[in-house]
């Protein structure tokens, strides 16, 4: 469909718009489809341009550009595809209540005020008129001036909601320059622990037999050995080994990147590694904090690796060691 031929839609709003979506790798895979067939079909049928950011990041940006009606068509195809995935995942599961379809838009923070409205009036109106849940993140996405806007509901509610958000975005364009959010590559895509290799997918460590062969090599070259720590080598030990504990010291100014906002990072590291991690309170006059990791040698090795990966990404991210 040639954009010039498209009818004036939605109250005369037929202008070219760009909407950015934040998706997890698995969702992106579903949109791309086998050999890229799904996304090809979406592009052809909607007439919108659909670009997917490169990179082996756990998160990817999907950019949809086109006249408003092409965008709505692309959105409805994405929402319906996610709905299909939910139905497929429920066929063999015991879950009785069906989860809603959820999309995350990335919106310049300067437009979020208009989207929320005075005292939350606009967002309330959108929720009520579309039946979709809409939430605007309180904080900007890392290294950007954009915020995530999460929409969930039935595919139909989502499409109605996107239409209303488009109207708001057209009526109040972004102010000043926008620094777009770019997802960072996963800092620890592969993890070696207890003689086994794991790849990190989302929040889970998936055993990876082919890479296990590389394990000994990896152990000889730890990715980043912080502050007087010995190499985290535990070749050949398995997860049933006796529990032991290991102590690390981490500078105060780097402890924040390990703990994360409201403890989110440290909880993630605990979950992924299966180890217990205690961070001692700051002692007066000391520039360092004591971190105690308890668990099997494999758990400890995994926790250490995750902590190292956080530290190295923080340090390289700041460009100062």
């Amino acid at each position: 469909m040639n954009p010039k031929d498209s009818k004036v839609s939605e109250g005369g709003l037929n202008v070219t718009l760009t909407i950015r979506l934040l998706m997890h790798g698995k969702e992106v895979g579903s949109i791309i489809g086998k050999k890229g067939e799904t996304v090809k079909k979406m592009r052809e049928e909607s007439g919108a341009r659909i670009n997917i950011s490169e990179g082996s990041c756990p998160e990817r940006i999907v950019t949809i550009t086109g006249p408003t009606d092409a965008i709505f068509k692309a959105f409805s195809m994405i929402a319906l595809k996610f709905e299909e995935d939910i139905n497929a995942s429920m066929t063999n599961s015991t879950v009785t209540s069906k989860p809603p379809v959820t999309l995350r838009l990335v919106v310049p923070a300067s437009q979020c005020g208009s989207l929320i409205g005075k005292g939350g009036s606009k967002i309330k109106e959108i929720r009520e008129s579309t039946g979709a849940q809409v939430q605007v993140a309180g904080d900007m996405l890392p290294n950007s001036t954009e915020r995530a806007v999460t929409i969930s509901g039935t595919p139909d509610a989502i499409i109605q909601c996107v239409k209303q958000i488009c109207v708001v975005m057209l009526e109040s364009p972004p102010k000043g320059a926008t620094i777009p959010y770019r997802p960072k590559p996963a800092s620890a895509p592969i993890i070696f622990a207890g003689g086994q290799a794991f790849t990190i997918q989302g929040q889970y460590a998936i055993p990876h037999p082919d890479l296990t062969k590389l394990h000994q090599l990896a152990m000889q070259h730890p990715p980043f050995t912080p502050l007087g720590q010995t190499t985290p080598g535990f070749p050949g030990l398995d997860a049933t080994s006796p529990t032991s504990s290991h102590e690390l010291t981490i500078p105060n100014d780097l402890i924040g990147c390990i703990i994360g906002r409201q403890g989110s990072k440290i909880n993630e590291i605990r979950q992924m590694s299966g180890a217990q991690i205690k961070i001692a309170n700051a002692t007066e006059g000391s520039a360092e904090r004591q971190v105690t990791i308890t668990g099997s040698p494999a758990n400890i090795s995994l926790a250490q690796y995750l902590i190292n990966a956080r530290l190295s990404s923080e340090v390289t991210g700041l460009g100062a060691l």
Side-chain angles (χ1 to χ4, degrees):
M1 185 179 85
N2 186 330
K4 284 199 286 288
D5 304 339
S6 53
K7 300 185 301 298
V8 171
S9 61
E10 303 311 309
L13 276 175
N14 202 22
V15 282
T16 300
L17 245 185
T18 296
I19 298 222
R20 286 152 52 80
L21 283 169
L22 189 52
M23 287 190 195
H24 293 302
K26 198 173 152 196
E27 296 171 320
V28 168
S30 163
I31 294 300
I32 295 173
K34 276 201 179 73
K35 296 184 180 167
E37 281 164 17
T38 311
V39 75
K40 184 169 176 262
K41 186 169 174 244
M42 285 180 179
R43 287 180 178 130
E44 285 169 2
E45 289 190 17
S46 68
R49 282 181 33 210
I50 303 174
N51 279 344
I52 296 162
S53 68
E54 289 301 315
S56 55
C57 306
E59 289 185 318
R60 308 271 283 278
I61 296 278
V62 177
T63 309
I64 305 174
T65 307
T68 43
D69 47 2
I71 285 184
F72 302 149
K73 180 81 177 111
F75 257 96
S76 70
M77 292 178 82
I78 291 173
L80 290 166
K81 180 73 182 86
F82 284 173
E83 169 97 333
E84 217 176 276
D85 295 344
I86 290 169
N87 289 339
S89 70
M90 285 185 68
T91 47
N92 301 323
S93 100
T94 51
V95 185
T96 47
S97 62
K98 184 170 158 181
V101 174
T102 300
L103 294 179
R104 289 180 298 161
L105 305 186
V106 183
V107 177
S110 60
Q111 290 177 294
C112 286
S114 311
L115 188 55
I116 295 166
K118 261 212 175 79
S121 57
K122 188 68 195 168
I123 200 162
K124 183 165 178 275
E125 179 193 312
I126 295 177
R127 283 183 189 132
E128 286 171 1
S129 64
T130 64
Q133 277 300 313
V134 192
Q135 270 160 337
V136 178
D139 293 311
M140 292 194 225
L141 288 156
N143 308 316
S144 79
T145 57
E146 296 192 301
R147 292 188 190 195
V149 176
T150 307
I151 310 175
S152 57
T154 63
D156 193 50
I158 285 179
I159 298 153
Q160 294 310 320
C161 184
V162 169
K163 286 184 178 177
Q164 299 218 17
I165 289 174
C166 287
V167 173
V168 173
M169 287 168 77
L170 287 169
E171 285 173 353
S172 37
K175 298 167 195 67
T178 299
I179 302 168
Y181 173 58
R182 289 195 173 85
K184 272 172 82 166
S187 55
I190 299 167
I191 274 179
F192 297 94
Q196 253 199 314
F198 297 88
T199 48
I200 295 302
Q201 295 183 5
Q203 299 176 337
Y204 306 99
I206 317 281
H208 202 302
D210 307 345
L211 291 165
T212 300
K213 302 183 190 93
L214 297 171
H215 174 63
Q216 258 62 27
L217 262 176
M219 280 308 180
Q220 288 155 26
H221 305 281
F224 181 73
T225 309
L227 326 157
Q229 173 205 325
T230 53
T231 51
F234 293 111
L237 286 176
D238 64 26
T240 55
S241 309
T243 301
S244 56
S245 72
H246 184 92
E247 302 220 330
L248 290 173
T249 49
I250 293 179
N252 282 343
D253 53 358
L254 287 177
I255 200 78
C257 80
I258 304 288
I259 297 172
R261 178 158 296 163
Q262 295 175 328
S264 60
K265 282 291 163 230
I266 194 77
N267 285 337
E268 206 175 281
I269 295 173
R270 285 182 182 124
Q271 270 180 333
M272 276 162 109
S273 66
Q276 289 184 320
I277 306 169
K278 287 199 171 69
I279 298 176
N281 291 332
T283 47
E284 227 172 298
S286 162
E288 296 181 326
R289 298 275 279 275
Q290 199 72 24
V291 177
T292 310
I293 308 170
T294 313
S296 71
N299 298 141
I300 291 174
S301 179
L302 195 43
Q304 271 182 278
Y305 186 97
L306 289 163
I307 288 172
N308 296 349
R310 283 296 303 157
L311 286 170
S312 59
S313 72
E314 182 73 9
V315 169
T316 52
L318 294 171
L321 188 52

